[in-house]
Amino acid sequence: MNNHIYTIGREFGSGGKDIGTALAKRLNIKCYDKELLDEASKESGFCAEIFENHDEKPTSSFLYSLVMDTYSFGGYSSAPFLDMPLNHKVFLAQFDTIKKIAEKESCVIVGRCADYALADNPNCINIFIHADMDYRSQKIAKKMKMTPNKARDLIHKNDKRRASYYNYYTSKKWGDSRGYDLTLDSGRIGVEGCVDIILAFRESLGKK
């Protein structure tokens, strides 16, 4: 497997998607964010709206062991899959799609527990993007035309949702530096600076 994959976890408002897009552009590869939902929809046969409604949202219960072998559950028509609640099906379909994309091409994948789905892939570099609250709140306030206080509330809400989703479906803790190859402060480094560091790290590993 010679494809090189870059997964990006990110705090809300840190610019993780922008960094993923810039990285993909430099390498002339695809960046999957919402696009991953479309791919999962095509693969599973579920309508795209179902994936949108369940995108990176935590659920109340899940059989952990199923996640470990999700890509070998026997297909979307098998009894174990058909008997699952819808939110479980959505997660497993995304998990399966991430693995198939990684087998097919080099790419950048933003969010959606991609680092966990590709934990056994030796050519995968896992990155987490963060920034301080002032940087993120100013950025979100400007982008979404709201007050800094409302931006902070929105950031807390989305960070909590992403953490709950990630912590629930994986064996790791969202944002914990020990679970990633690189953790970068986008507020201090900037988008292009983060891309430079990621590429330098790749070079140091001989992933050319």
Side-chain angles (χ1 to χ4, degrees), residues 19-182:
I19 292 167
T21 300
L23 175 62
K25 185 176 181 180
R26 287 247 211 129
L27 294 171
N28 194 30
I29 58 178
K30 288 184 180 179
C31 178
Y32 289 92
D33 183 20
K34 295 293 185 182
E35 299 83 357
L36 180 65
L37 306 184
D38 294 332
E39 290 289 328
S41 175
K42 293 175 186 176
E43 289 283 344
S44 65
F46 296 145
C47 67
E49 288 77 9
I50 289 176
F51 285 93
E52 288 283 350
N53 291 335
H54 290 82
D55 190 26
E56 290 190 301
K57 293 179 180 177
T59 184
S60 58
S61 63
F62 193 75
L63 297 177
Y64 174 80
S65 60
L66 285 175
V67 182
M68 302 303 294
D69 297 313
T70 184
Y71 58 97
S72 59
F73 53 70
Y76 299 109
S77 60
S78 66
F81 186 78
L82 293 175
D83 289 342
M84 293 179 194
L86 180 59
N87 49 355
H88 299 178
K89 294 178 182 178
V90 168
F91 177 80
L92 290 175
Q94 281 190 169
F95 197 93
D96 191 42
T97 298
I98 288 169
K99 284 186 169 291
K100 288 180 178 177
I101 289 173
E103 290 174 358
K104 181 178 67 174
E105 62 185 308
S106 295
C107 63
V108 178
I109 304 177
V110 180
R112 295 163 188 88
C113 304
D115 60 319
Y116 183 63
L118 301 175
D120 59 349
N121 188 321
N123 294 317
C124 183
I125 294 176
N126 302 313
I127 304 133
F128 189 82
I129 305 299
H130 63 95
D132 65 38
M133 181 57 74
D134 286 341
Y135 173 84
R136 293 192 287 150
S137 61
Q138 290 174 16
K139 183 176 179 180
I140 293 299
K142 181 178 180 181
K143 180 180 180 180
M144 305 188 73
K145 296 180 172 58
M146 60 175 60
T147 66
N149 283 338
K150 286 188 177 181
R152 286 173 182 269
D153 289 341
L154 185 62
I155 287 169
H156 284 304
K157 179 180 178 180
N158 279 279
D159 279 352
K160 183 177 180 180
R161 174 176 59 81
R162 287 178 179 175
S164 295
Y165 179 85
Y166 184 89
N167 295 347
Y168 194 80
Y169 281 117
T170 78
S171 58
K172 303 193 295 181
K173 184 177 180 180
W174 184 78
D176 186 336
S177 62
R178 292 169 295 184
Y180 305 89
D181 298 306
L182 291 171

